[in-house]
Amino acid sequence: MAETASGEDQLGLRPLKALTLDERVINPDDIPWVPYTDTIWVKPLRLNRRTGMWANLTKVVGGGQVNRHYHVNGVIGYVLEGSWYYAEKDWVARPGMMVWEPPGDVHTLMSGEEGTITLFQLEGALLYVDEEDNVVGFDDVLNHTKTYHDYCASQGIEPVDLDY
């Protein structure tokens, strides 16, 4: 805080402290890998139903793909393991690399043969599209929340509260 030597709160931050939410510490080890397909698993880390923001670890096994999709809002991905690329692009994302996907981007994520684990942070919906750009499916925070809760229920697991 911006305090003077006499302890004066020049910026008036002390009263704001009472309004601040507590931090959330999420241990990924407490969250199961939720199967999406036979080559894709997702471990949700944040499912904020108020803002539409969602974050997850996405695991795609060797040669698997996330079908062609359109992003309504931007996405940030940080590669933790393995590699992936977009079938429509000419670069490869490797461990330690961050990728920003702009709103409106359409692509097909392909994992390298070694597979990949990537931390993705998204806002809004992801629309699955066919080759003629017809919407054939979607994912968003509500869909992810339902899938996570349904999977936990099917496994007898208490879901972690990820709505923050």
Side-chain angles (χ1 to χ4, degrees):
M1 277 192 230
E3 294 183 2
T4 64
S6 66
E8 181 183 341
D9 179 11
Q10 290 183 326
L11 298 177
L13 297 178
R14 283 190 193 128
L16 300 179
K17 196 172 178 187
L19 300 173
T20 301
L21 297 172
D22 289 337
E23 65 278 349
R24 292 294 301 271
V25 178
I26 303 297
N27 183 348
D29 292 340
D30 296 337
I31 301 166
W33 284 105
V34 179
Y36 265 66
T37 70
D38 57 344
T39 60
I40 301 170
W41 288 266
V42 174
K43 189 177 280 227
L45 301 175
R46 184 176 190 189
L47 298 167
N48 189 319
R49 293 177 297 151
R50 289 168 194 82
T51 66
M53 180 180 288
W54 41 306
N56 61 61
L57 294 172
T58 299
K59 176 171 35 175
V60 184
V61 297
Q65 72 176 44
V66 176
N67 289 341
R68 190 168 183 266
H69 57 277
Y70 169 95
H71 289 285
V72 173
N73 291 1
V75 175
I76 294 174
Y78 183 79
V79 184
L80 299 169
E81 296 178 16
S83 67
W84 56 268
Y85 60 95
Y86 293 138
E88 302 82 1
K89 311 287 183 177
D90 64 356
W91 49 264
V92 176
R94 301 184 191 287
M97 295 176 76
M98 187 182 95
V99 176
W100 175 68
E101 303 170 5
D105 202 25
V106 178
H107 49 252
T108 309
L109 187 150
M110 310 290 293
S111 78
E113 285 304 314
E114 73 281 15
T116 186
I117 297 178
T118 300
L119 171 64
F120 285 107
Q121 182 172 308
L122 308 90
E123 263 185 84
L126 175 151
L127 305 176
Y128 294 101
V129 295
D130 64 18
E131 290 304 316
E132 287 79 43
D133 293 332
N134 298 304
V135 175
V136 296
F138 76 98
D139 270 324
D140 67 4
V141 70
L142 298 176
N143 178 286
H144 253 49
T145 300
K146 181 179 181 330
T147 300
Y148 171 56
H149 283 255
D150 288 352
Y151 180 76
C152 286
S154 77
Q155 301 298 306
I157 300 168
E158 182 67 29
V160 175
D161 178 12
L162 300 174
D163 192 0
Y164 63 95

